[in-house]
């Protein structure tokens, strides 16, 4: 008889009183008796915290954890250290899940007898009012893809590979490899996910999306970009590029290209940070431009960066980004 899987849902909570009930209710829809939902909160008055405490009183398996420091990375680490499930699922408290679709992942992992260390899923994009406008299709519409080599096909998709809510993580694997979030920086997902993928030997993919990601929410931590975000991103890209260069695998070669793509897709921020910071941000991009040399396939984007330079390329991508947003009506 296959083992029944216990899941630890880890939810950092910070000023999301408009959305947190919807998020909690969606998780309750698939919460089994031995599962746990860990709310990680900050120590100050917040209606979101009050909501979480009320739910924790009413339902078994729900627990409120107080952060020992500040920041999203610290919140997730606090949850990881307390988690007891076979698998860990991270959920942002302004998003929500489709419970029946998540349950299919659990059943798949139970069929595999918990052998998979990391399971990746596609996701659904929703706007601030909860309207669906996008479904990612990086993964082939099959219910059982379990090879490391498939990462080469998966990574061709343009959607981000690094959002931690796209993954089921085997908790013992994270513990064995001492995988925690780097604290004191932004872009922690890029760093954490890259390190996880370089370590895993047993990886799986499942297309049917269960996670509904709310983009460009007013007041979200990622709404406003400043120079510190770019400084942290360049640091993360540089560190993880070096990590990838130490490996010789399908995944490490693909991750190099994904890190380069992150550098390129963030060039529009040259024109989105406050004007007084733009010279400094430009210098950050210029200093890290050597990352592009790891691109063995000099495609059309690299061609235009060579021709237009960093500023010109950033401006072109900035315009294209505005057009894309307008088309998506987000």
């Amino acid at each position: 008889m296959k083992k029944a899987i216990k899941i630890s849902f880890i939810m950092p909570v910070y000023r999301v009183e408009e959305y947190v009930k919807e998020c909690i209710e969606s998780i309750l829809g698939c919460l089994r008796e031995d599962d746990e939902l860990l709310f990680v909160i900050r120590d100050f008055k917040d209606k979101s915290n009050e909501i979480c405490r009320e739910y924790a009183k009413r339902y078994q398996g729900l627990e409120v954890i107080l952060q020992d420091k500040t920041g999203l990375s610290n919140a997730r680490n606090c949850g990881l250290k307390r988690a007891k499930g076979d698998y860990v699922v991270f959920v942002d408290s302004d998003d929500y899940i489709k419970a029946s679709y998540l349950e299919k992942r659990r059943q798949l992992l139970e069929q595999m007898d918990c052998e998979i260390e990391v399971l990746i899923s596609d996701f659904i994009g929703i706007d601030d009012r909860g309207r669906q406008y996008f479904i990612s299709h990086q993964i082939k519409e099959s219910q059982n893809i379990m090879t490391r080599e498939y990462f080469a096909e998966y990574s061709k998709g343009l959607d981000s590979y690094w959002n931690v809510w796209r993954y089921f993580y085997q908790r013992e694997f994270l513990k064995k490899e001492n995988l925690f979030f780097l604290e004191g920086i932004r872009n922690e997902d890029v760093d954490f996910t890259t390190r996880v993928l370089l370590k895993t030997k047993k990886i799986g993919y499942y297309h049917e999306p269960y996670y509904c990601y709310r983009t460009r929410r007013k007041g979200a931590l990622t709404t406003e970009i400043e120079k510190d975000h770019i400084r942290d991103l360049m640091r993360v890209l540089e560190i993880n590029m070096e990590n990838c260069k130490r490996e010789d695998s399908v995944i490490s070669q693909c991750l190099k290209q994904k890190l380069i793509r992150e550098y390129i897709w963030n060039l529009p921020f040259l024109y989105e940070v406050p004007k007084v910071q733009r010279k400094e941000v430009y210098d950050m991009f210029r200093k890290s431009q050597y990352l592009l040399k790891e691109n063995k396939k000099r495609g059309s984007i690299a061609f235009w960066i060579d021709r237009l330079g960093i500023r010109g390329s950033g401006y072109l991508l900035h315009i294209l980004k505005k057009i894309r947003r307008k088309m998506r009506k987000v």
Side-chain angles (χ1 to χ4, degrees), residues 9 37 89 151-152 159 190 195 241 271 328:
F9 294 90
L37 171 54
V89 174
F151 194 84
D159 298 322
V190 177
R195 288 188 289 112
M241 183 63 78
Y271 298 91
R328 285 185 169 183

Side-chain angles (χ1 to χ4, degrees), residues 37 87 245 262 271 276-277 296:
L37 171 54
Y87 284 86
K245 288 164 68 174
E262 284 301 309
Y271 298 91
V276 295
Q277 298 179 4
K296 305 304 180 184

Side-chain angles (χ1 to χ4, degrees), residues 1-5 107 109-115:
M1 183 177 178
K2 299 297 183 182
K3 176 184 177 182
I5 287 178
Q107 293 168 4
L109 292 169
E110 288 175 340
Q111 292 169 13
M112 300 294 294
D113 203 20
C114 299
E115 291 183 359

Side-chain angles (χ1 to χ4, degrees), residues 25-269:
E25 290 290 342
S26 71
I27 295 173
L28 289 175
C30 63
L31 207 67
R32 293 184 184 175
E33 183 177 354
D34 292 330
D35 292 341
E36 58 183 0
L37 171 54
L38 305 176
F39 304 115
V40 188
I41 67 172
R42 297 187 187 183
D43 187 18
F44 59 79
K45 290 185 178 180
D46 182 345
K47 290 183 180 179
S48 305
N49 295 350
E50 295 174 13
I51 292 169
C52 292
R53 288 192 174 97
E54 285 300 315
Y55 271 95
K57 291 177 183 177
R58 290 162 50 194
Y59 294 94
Q60 180 181 346
L62 277 60
E63 181 181 354
V64 175
I65 300 171
L66 188 63
Q67 285 187 244
D68 53 21
K69 297 179 185 176
T70 60
L72 180 57
S73 290
N74 176 259
R76 288 170 172 165
N77 286 341
C78 288
L80 272 176
K81 292 171 185 176
R82 190 73 66 88
K84 300 181 181 68
D86 300 299
Y87 284 86
V88 172
V89 174
F90 293 101
V91 183
D92 288 352
S93 49
D94 52 349
D95 301 332
Y96 63 87
I97 66 171
K98 292 182 178 289
S100 61
Y101 292 167
L102 182 140
E103 188 63 21
K104 291 180 180 180
R105 271 77 170 174
R106 189 203 302 260
Q107 293 168 4
L108 175 62
L109 292 169
E110 288 175 340
Q111 292 169 13
M112 300 294 294
D113 203 20
C114 299
E115 291 183 359
I116 298 300
E117 294 170 335
V118 177
L119 180 64
I120 310 176
S121 296
D122 280 325
F123 64 97
I124 299 167
I126 58 174
D127 65 17
D128 191 50
R129 287 179 278 183
R131 299 175 302 187
Q132 177 179 315
Y133 72 91
F134 169 75
I135 299 179
S136 65
H137 284 87
Q138 285 178 279
I139 300 171
K140 184 169 64 176
E141 294 189 22
S142 168
Q143 294 185 356
N144 194 352
I145 305 172
M146 300 293 167
T147 64
R148 277 173 61 87
E149 288 70 25
Y150 182 74
F151 194 84
E153 185 67 27
Y154 161 77
S155 66
K156 291 178 182 178
L158 296 179
D159 298 322
S160 60
Y161 73 95
W162 41 259
N163 300 101
V164 297
W165 37 254
R166 297 190 66 171
Y167 295 79
F168 273 62
Y169 300 97
Q170 186 188 76
R171 188 174 64 84
E172 281 302 313
F173 159 69
L174 296 180
K175 182 179 178 181
K176 175 186 174 183
E177 299 294 345
N178 195 31
L179 289 164
F180 289 93
F181 290 86
L182 183 61
E183 298 189 21
I185 66 163
R186 301 167 181 84
N187 298 289
E188 62 283 325
D189 282 19
V190 177
D191 173 74
F192 181 78
T193 303
T194 302
R195 288 188 289 112
V196 165
L197 291 172
L198 287 173
K199 290 290 186 181
T200 182
K201 297 295 187 291
K202 299 177 181 179
I203 187 169
Y205 311 81
Y206 198 113
H207 162 68
E208 192 173 38
Y210 73 88
Y211 195 92
C212 298
Y213 169 54
R214 197 182 308 270
T215 59
R216 300 190 64 78
R217 173 177 68 82
K218 184 178 179 181
L221 293 177
T222 55
T223 299
E224 299 296 333
I225 299 294
E226 296 194 357
K227 65 180 181 180
D228 289 345
H229 294 76
I230 305 303
R231 180 182 293 109
D232 287 350
L233 175 63
M234 294 301 110
R235 178 187 172 195
V236 164
L237 296 182
E238 290 172 0
I239 290 172
N240 283 285
M241 183 63 78
E242 290 302 312
N243 291 337
C244 289
K245 288 164 68 174
R246 295 190 191 101
E247 301 283 335
D248 183 19
S249 66
V250 170
I251 288 181
S252 65
Q253 295 304 314
C254 293
L255 285 174
K256 285 182 184 180
Q257 302 307 310
K258 299 298 276 186
L259 293 172
I260 290 168
R261 190 174 292 169
E262 284 301 309
Y263 174 94
I264 293 170
W265 289 139
N266 280 277
L267 285 173
F269 289 131

Side-chain angles (χ1 to χ4, degrees), residues 307-322:
R307 296 299 183 275
L308 299 176
I310 294 175
R311 284 197 177 95
S313 302
Y315 184 72
L316 177 60
L317 290 170
H318 170 65
I319 297 301
L320 292 174
K321 187 176 177 181
K322 289 176 69 174

